[in-house]
Amino acid sequence: MEGAWFAELDPADPEAAASAVRESRRDGPADWPGLAVERGVVADREAYYDALHAATTAAARAAVAEHERADDRRLVEAVRALDDTERVANELAERVAEWAGDTASDGGAEAVVRTVVDRESEDELDRRLVGLAERAAGLYAERDELRATVERVAPTVAPNLAALAGPVLAARLTALAGDLESLARMPAGTVQVLGAENALFAHLRGHAPSPKHGVIYTHEYVRGTDPEERGSAARALAGKLAIAARIDHYAGDRRPELERDLDERIARVRERTADGETEEEP
Amino acid sequence: MTESVVDGVDGLAYREFDGERRLATRGSPVYGEPTDGVWRLWDARRSKLAAAVERGLGPGLTADAGVLYLGAAAGTTVSHVADVAGPTYAVEFAPGPLGDLVAAAEERPRLFPLLKDARRPATYAGIVEAEVDVLVQDVATRGQADVALRNRRFLADDGRLLLALKARSEDVTREPAAVFEDALERLSSDYEVLATERLDPLHADHLAVLARPRE
Ligand SMILES: C[S@@+](CC[C@H](N)C(=O)[O-])C[C@H]1O[C@@H](n2cnc3c(N)ncnc32)[C@H](O)[C@@H]1O
């Protein structure tokens, strides 16, 4: 009996049965249906198989849920790596540009790197410059791969959030919250200022006005709205993003009406500037 | 309607689909396969076990047979097995396809999904009953013969192993025939091979092996 999944079970606790299925250890099998009946654990073989079915499907379902949760953490790591590679690449690229004496050209340091990698190197120092440029170019290429991956994966992890925010911003918000569950628990006002923590603390200490937006500033609906109405746009967007995160975490199905609602809200906010009137949202 | 029963088994038959005689089982659809009333097509192109059964390598899937199925993936094949046989234990170690397997199991009260590694039978010996009649293995991973040897402990002495051997999982650079020979040699310590069939062209570089355990 030792190691049998039903050996130490409280029959009234279905979760215990599922975790016993996941943790049971034993060298060889035995006639489990027969033993369970003999020990009076169940009335007959049919009842045994019914209980086993409930326990194994519950255990498998829990494993699937765990796996899916783990996916949002991997997405978070990917978007953090995207930002890290970009930061490091820029740092190296600026060194390359300064070394190459080309700090003014269009397209910034990234463009300089692309011209320097093609240079003929005449001596040892030149070779090191070109080598450094190659490293930076490699990092930019990795950044592009990471972005493509985030764009592909975010819609599978958080379909509604990715549809509303765009996949990269969806991943950034998840990263700032820590994971999808934490984001789903946040009130809209917190989502609105995620990424603006420094400004928020300055405000709380009384040094600054309260920030109107954090990383959602990168969204076209905030950036592309007249500065007068940007706060309202940020509030409207954050409200819908918070709902989207909750649906993604707790339900997981796509709700296209969220996008329609958001489009309408933003259209109304923008109309106000077109009309020349500004009023505070309730 | 032509209906010839396979091996005298009730839930398994050849039926007409689009004018062709095809293998089918009786059960609720799982992956969008064609159906005909209560019957659903069991496509030999999608299932190595169906291909093996069509070629006469049926391992004895009868209504009361206990089955241990290793490498269940999303449940395409094992759902058909559970339609036909008795208690069916479906082992799969990747959580990705498990959701679909659970969905198939929800409709089948004697299909038990297990997220386990087939190389570690001790993690399911407390769940899978002893003396199953049929062991099906389709794990497509290195060391396929070893997996079959380690799972011998579940099989009744008069039971049958149906193994789908994938050459490329063992060694992509070697000739499939040589890979198969090695695997059969390893198997022979605990199993007596009764028949083998190449499953090409339906399943390239796969060998179906029907075997029984040595006492
Ligand atoms: C070719 S697929 C099986 C297809 C399935 N038998 C069907 O016909 O529907 C091989 C499966 O074996 C699984 N697998 C590989 N190694 C395994 C192991 N050690 N334990 C359990 N499953 C394994 C893989 O994750 C994969 O899902």
Side-chain angles (χ1 to χ4, degrees):
Chain A
M1 286 291 281
E2 205 179 309
W5 68 276
F6 54 83
E8 286 154 32
L9 226 52
D10 173 357
D13 183 354
E15 272 170 29
S19 66
V21 162
R22 299 180 74 177
E23 280 149 31
S24 144
R25 293 285 180 279
R26 180 186 160 94
D27 253 8
D31 174 20
W32 301 126
L35 282 168
V37 175
E38 202 180 292
R39 303 287 160 100
V41 180
V42 285
D44 55 28
R45 293 179 78 92
E46 295 311 310
Y48 171 81
Y49 287 127
D50 289 343
L52 178 63
H53 189 259
T56 52
T57 51
R61 247 183 256 117
V64 171
E66 253 168 45
H67 171 69
E68 280 164 6
R69 273 200 296 281
D71 265 0
D72 65 283
R73 306 246 172 80
R74 288 161 66 209
L75 176 66
V76 160
E77 295 300 341
V79 77
R80 285 180 182 155
L82 164 61
D83 291 342
D84 288 347
T85 39
E86 171 143 294
R87 197 186 54 246
V88 176
N90 283 341
E91 204 169 308
L92 293 182
E94 269 153 35
R95 168 66 50 228
V96 169
E98 199 171 307
W99 188 345
D102 183 0
T103 48
S105 82
D106 290 343
E110 189 174 348
V112 175
V113 160
R114 273 197 293 274
T115 61
V116 172
V117 285
D118 294 329
R119 266 199 204 172
E120 292 287 316
S121 29
E122 321 251 276
D123 59 20
E124 187 180 345
L125 279 167
D126 265 354
R127 273 199 299 280
R128 297 279 51 83
L129 169 60
V130 172
L132 190 63
E134 280 166 356
R135 296 292 157 141
L139 279 174
Y140 282 124
E142 187 59 33
R143 173 205 59 185
D144 294 342
E145 294 288 330
L146 281 163
R147 182 178 296 129
T149 298
V150 167
E151 282 169 353
R152 219 169 18 249
V153 174
T156 70
V157 173
N160 293 291
L161 188 66
L164 261 57
V168 175
L169 178 56
R172 286 222 167 88
L173 288 166
T174 310
L176 286 164
D179 55 26
L180 189 57
E181 180 171 12
S182 312
L183 184 63
R185 288 171 190 265
M186 282 182 179
T190 310
V191 174
Q192 190 180 336
V193 295
L194 268 179
E197 283 72 15
N198 290 341
L200 187 63
F201 291 137
H203 166 65
L204 293 176
R205 283 194 305 264
H207 304 321
S210 95
K212 290 199 177 58
H213 38 64
V215 69
I216 63 168
Y217 178 74
T218 58
H219 197 285
E220 156 60 23
Y221 277 173
V222 180
R223 214 180 26 182
T225 296
D226 190 275
E228 290 284 322
E229 294 294 344
R230 231 170 240 166
S232 305
R235 193 150 2 126
L237 176 62
K240 294 296 173 204
L241 294 181
I243 294 170
R246 269 170 237 156
I247 294 170
D248 287 339
H249 179 65
Y250 295 106
D253 57 324
R254 263 297 266 126
R255 310 270 173 93
E257 66 272 18
L258 278 173
E259 277 155 279
R260 259 198 326 272
D261 290 355
L262 176 63
D263 292 349
E264 281 168 21
R265 288 283 318 265
I266 297 294
R268 258 182 281 135
V269 167
R270 289 181 173 180
E271 254 165 44
R272 288 204 297 251
T273 36
D275 296 347
E277 50 168 302
T278 51
E279 61 174 75
E280 264 308 295
E281 286 269 300
Chain B
M1 170 81 29
T2 44
E3 179 177 327
S4 69
V5 168
V6 180
D7 295 342
V9 175
D10 191 35
L12 184 65
Y14 283 102
R15 310 269 309 176
E16 292 251 344
F17 282 87
D18 283 334
E20 268 184 77
R21 220 172 133 266
R22 308 287 297 276
L23 207 55
T25 67
R26 203 157 41 194
S28 63
V30 170
Y31 49 93
E33 66 280 24
T35 56
D36 173 15
V38 295
W39 294 92
R40 59 191 191 104
L41 177 66
W42 189 11
D43 190 347
R45 279 186 294 258
R46 299 190 59 155
S47 169
K48 285 151 238 163
L49 180 57
V53 169
E54 283 190 355
R55 293 182 193 198
L57 260 64
L61 294 174
T62 56
D64 53 3
V67 180
L68 172 57
Y69 191 108
L70 306 173
T76 306
T77 296
V78 79
S79 66
H80 288 285
V81 171
D83 285 349
V84 178
T88 301
Y89 300 87
V91 170
E92 170 57 52
F93 80 162
L98 204 63
D100 290 332
L101 178 59
V102 172
E106 266 157 8
E107 305 280 317
R108 293 173 172 76
R110 296 298 175 260
L111 175 58
F112 312 114
L114 295 167
L115 180 66
K116 304 284 181 185
D117 184 340
R119 289 166 300 194
R120 300 177 59 211
T123 60
Y124 48 91
I127 302 158
V128 176
E129 62 194 80
E131 318 243 325
V132 299
D133 304 287
V134 178
L135 173 60
V136 181
Q137 179 184 322
D138 181 15
V139 291
T141 179
R142 212 187 169 89
Q144 295 166 95
D146 274 339
V147 170
L149 294 175
R150 285 187 205 181
N151 285 277
R152 156 71 180 89
R153 67 189 77 178
F154 295 98
L155 195 54
D157 287 342
D158 60 352
R160 291 289 181 272
L161 163 72
L162 193 286
L163 169 62
L165 265 178
K166 181 176 182 180
R168 269 178 289 145
S169 298
E170 298 294 336
D171 190 338
V172 281
T173 61
R174 281 180 73 204
E175 268 302 301
V179 174
F180 295 148
E181 203 176 302
D182 277 5
L184 293 176
E185 169 66 32
R186 282 194 67 79
L187 272 185
S188 66
S189 64
D190 286 24
Y191 290 98
E192 178 192 342
V193 173
L194 301 172
T196 64
E197 259 318 312
R198 287 287 287 255
L199 296 179
D200 313 64
L202 298 183
H203 303 278
D205 298 334
H206 277 81
L207 185 74
V209 180
L210 181 66
R212 73 167 165 231
R214 292 188 195 279
E215 309 260 316

